[in-house]
Every structure is written in C-alpha cells, then in structure tokens.
Amino acid sequence: IKGESERTVGARVVCLFFFLTVDIQPACLGLYCGKTLLFKNGSTEIYGECGVCPRGQRTNAQKYCQPCTESPELYDWLYLGFMAMLPLVLHWFFIEWYSGKKSSSALFQHITALFECTVAALVTLLVSEPVGVLHIRSCRVLMLSDWYTMLYNPSPDYVTTVHCTHEAVYPLYTIVFIYYAFCLVLMMLLRPLLVKKIACGLGKSDRFKSIYAALYFFPILTVLQAVGGGLLYYAFPYIILVLSLVTLAVYMSASEIENCYDLLVRKKRLIVLFSHWLLHAYGIISISRVDKLEQDLPLLALVPTPALFYLFTAKFTEPSRILSEGANGH
C-alpha cells in the first residue's frame, strides 16, 4: 500500500509539473483575428497576442497568421483581367462616343488607351510582392466574407472591439486600386498631348471630353471595387456574358445589321463582332474555370450562337423599321 501511494504522489507531481510548463493562451476570438509570429529559432516558435495579421498574411485554422505564399489560381487571374478590362473598355467607349465620324484621331486614341492600360498592368505586377517580377503571391479566397473582414471584428464584452481588419484575399483587393492609380497617371501624362496634336477634326471643347469622362469613371470604379469587390469576384463571369450579349444586340440593331452582307460590308463591324466573341469566350472560361478540358472546351463552340441567332431572327423584327418609326416619333 505504501508503494502504491508513493507512485500516486509521484504521478501527481509529474502531471502538476507538466501543467505548469505548458503555455496556455486564450483562444482567438473573431473570424480573422490571429497570433503573429514574434520569434522563431529552429522548432521553437513564439507568438504574440491575438490581433490583426500584418499585410501579406492571413489566419489559418489554428488562428496563427501565416504568410501568403501561394500563386493565384486561374479564376483569380481572370478576375484581375476583368477588373483591368473595365477602364480600357470605358476608354474605348467614350473615345468612340466623342470622336465623331469625321475625326481620324479615334484609332490613335484607342491605341494610346490600350498602351496606357497595358503599361499600368505591367508596372502594377512589378511593384507587387515579390518586387521586380511579373508574378504575385496571394492568399486563397475561401468565402465571400474574406473580402469584408471589417465586418467581423469581435467584441468580447460587447463594449470593446478588437480590430482585426486585414486583407485576407491579399493582394486581389488592393492591387486593383494600384492599377487604377497607374492608369490615371499615365492617362494624364500621355493622352492630353496626343489629343492636342492629332484631334484636329474636333472642336476645342470636344477634344478632351473622353479624358473628362475618365476622370468621372475612375472614381466610380474605385468605389465599386471598395464596396463590391467580393460580389464582383463571384459574379463577374455572368456580368461579362450578360453585358456582352446586350451590347452586341444593341450595336447590331443600331447599325441596322439584318444579314451577313450588312455585317461584312464594314471592317469596323467585324472588329466589334470579334471583340464580343472574345468577351463571350472569356465569360464561358471564367464560369467553367476549365477544370476538365475535355468537358469545358466544347462550350466555346457556343460563342458565335448569339450573333447567328440575331441574324436568323432579324427578318422577323426588322430593326431598321423600328428605328425609323422611333425617329419619326411613332
């Protein structure tokens, strides 16, 4: 009996010693609060208190802040491509809108806008981590709330708020703002000089209207990304498909295209058609994500379908008659 009691006491002492040596830390509250690594020496890691993760890191399942070391997925690149296309398409639209049929400067302005957006995209990639290469490190997007971490700051006592807002989708959120800033700077440096030199067919008040329009839509795009970036991330493939279908139908009806001959008579119409087909393909690839090539690639055969459907059914609606009646006020 004496031996049994001695063994019991010894076991209790060992358990008490183990309990005292284990570092028991309070659990992290909130969905995006984590503990930052303060010191690492071999297998020894010391973490700080629970709080906001530094830029370029996000919390893992154990509530530790981990660096973003993954490469963006195809869908992430397609999203960034969509956000990069928005200012370019708007540039082209307003250039075409304000250039007029008599102006020969529209083509040069289109090329300049493409050059501005391309250089801005390249510079944005070069200044992002890792700096100096056309490659970025990113954190995986897991759910919609990753885009709105400011809405998930915990309040343990319902009075004090623990601020854990950080970019959980690094760098998909902020890189768009950087790109828009470079686009705006390059436009202000290049476009006014070009327009002043070659836009001779326009009046002085009309020469810079496409630039003035950009000064309006860039803030709108910035607010759109700030407020609806997460929604756009999940919805942009469907937005591309719907808008490209609508704009193609509007353009073909406004141009009174009712058969293949009307479509082939001008090169500009073919360029517009092929541009919309590229957008259709972009939207289809974004939706399918090309997870299975043998199943997803045949979907690209649907790209010409909307244009063919319009041409086959235009004789029943007669867009030219509808436009003429609208112009006459009927």
Side-chain angles (χ1 to χ4, degrees):
I1 299 173
K2 182 178 179 181
E4 291 290 336
S5 62
E6 289 179 353
R7 285 195 293 270
T8 303
V9 172
R12 290 178 178 177
V13 171
V14 172
C15 291
L16 179 62
F17 177 77
F18 177 78
F19 178 79
L20 293 176
T21 55
V22 172
D23 183 17
I24 300 179
Q25 297 182 1
C28 260
L29 300 176
L31 192 59
Y32 296 101
C33 295
K35 300 174 183 177
T36 306
L37 180 63
L38 299 179
F39 176 78
K40 182 177 181 179
N41 184 11
S43 60
T44 303
E45 296 181 348
I46 300 177
Y47 289 87
E49 296 182 355
C50 186
V52 61
C53 291
R55 174 174 167 79
Q57 299 185 18
R58 71 165 295 170
T59 56
N60 58 13
Q62 290 74 34
K63 295 295 183 180
Y64 293 116
C65 297
Q66 297 294 327
C68 300
T69 57
E70 298 182 8
S71 298
E73 296 180 336
L74 173 63
Y75 188 83
D76 298 334
W77 284 114
L78 292 173
Y79 165 75
L80 293 178
F82 168 73
M83 300 306 294
M85 282 192 299
L86 285 179
L88 178 60
V89 172
L90 290 173
H91 276 313
W92 285 348
F93 172 79
F94 286 109
I95 289 171
E96 195 68 26
W97 184 270
Y98 290 117
S99 62
K101 296 182 179 180
K102 297 181 180 180
S103 175
S104 59
S105 66
L107 177 62
F108 295 99
Q109 293 187 63
H110 286 316
I111 296 175
T112 304
L114 177 62
F115 175 77
E116 294 165 2
C117 294
T118 302
V119 173
L122 294 176
V123 173
T124 301
L125 292 177
L126 290 175
V127 300
S128 301
E129 292 290 338
V131 179
V133 295
L134 296 176
H135 175 73
I136 57 176
R137 297 183 294 104
S138 69
C139 285
R140 188 68 55 84
V141 180
L142 302 178
M143 48 189 170
L144 179 61
S145 60
D146 291 347
W147 292 83
Y148 305 101
T149 56
M150 75 290 293
L151 303 178
Y152 295 88
N153 293 323
S155 298
D157 55 359
Y158 300 99
V159 176
T160 305
T161 300
V162 180
H163 295 281
C164 298
T165 301
H166 65 284
E167 189 178 5
V169 294
Y170 174 87
L172 301 181
Y173 187 76
T174 54
I175 197 173
V176 177
F177 300 124
I178 299 173
Y179 167 72
Y180 288 164
F182 281 123
C183 283
L184 184 60
V185 171
L186 289 172
M187 183 196 70
M188 297 304 296
L189 291 177
L190 301 178
R191 195 84 62 82
L193 298 176
L194 176 71
V195 172
K196 187 176 181 180
K197 291 292 184 181
I198 67 175
C200 302
L202 298 174
K204 292 184 178 180
S205 60
D206 295 334
R207 290 185 180 183
F208 301 100
K209 281 189 175 181
S210 61
I211 300 177
Y212 297 152
L215 297 180
Y216 282 98
F217 70 67
F218 268 119
I220 293 175
L221 291 178
T222 302
V223 174
L224 186 65
Q225 167 67 6
V227 177
L231 299 176
L232 289 175
Y233 179 81
Y234 289 100
F236 82 88
Y238 309 97
I239 294 175
I240 290 177
L241 283 180
V242 172
L243 290 182
S244 60
L245 291 175
V246 172
T247 54
L248 179 61
V250 171
Y251 175 79
M252 295 180 74
S253 62
S255 302
E256 301 183 7
I257 299 175
E258 299 182 11
N259 50 57
C260 294
Y261 176 78
D262 295 337
L263 189 61
L264 300 175
V265 71
R266 293 183 181 179
K267 294 182 179 179
K268 180 180 178 180
R269 294 178 177 179
L270 289 177
I271 293 175
V272 173
L273 177 63
F274 290 142
S275 300
H276 280 82
W277 282 0
L278 289 176
L279 291 177
H280 296 344
Y282 196 95
I284 292 174
I285 292 174
S286 301
I287 291 176
S288 64
R289 304 194 184 192
V290 199
D291 294 328
K292 298 180 179 179
L293 288 177
E294 64 277 5
Q295 296 181 7
D296 298 333
L297 286 182
L299 294 175
L300 296 179
L302 299 174
V303 167
T305 302
L308 295 177
F309 178 80
Y310 179 91
L311 293 176
F312 289 147
T313 58
K315 59 183 178 181
F316 301 109
T317 56
E318 296 185 16
S320 58
R321 179 178 59 84
I322 297 175
L323 291 174
S324 62
E325 291 179 355
N328 296 329
H330 296 294

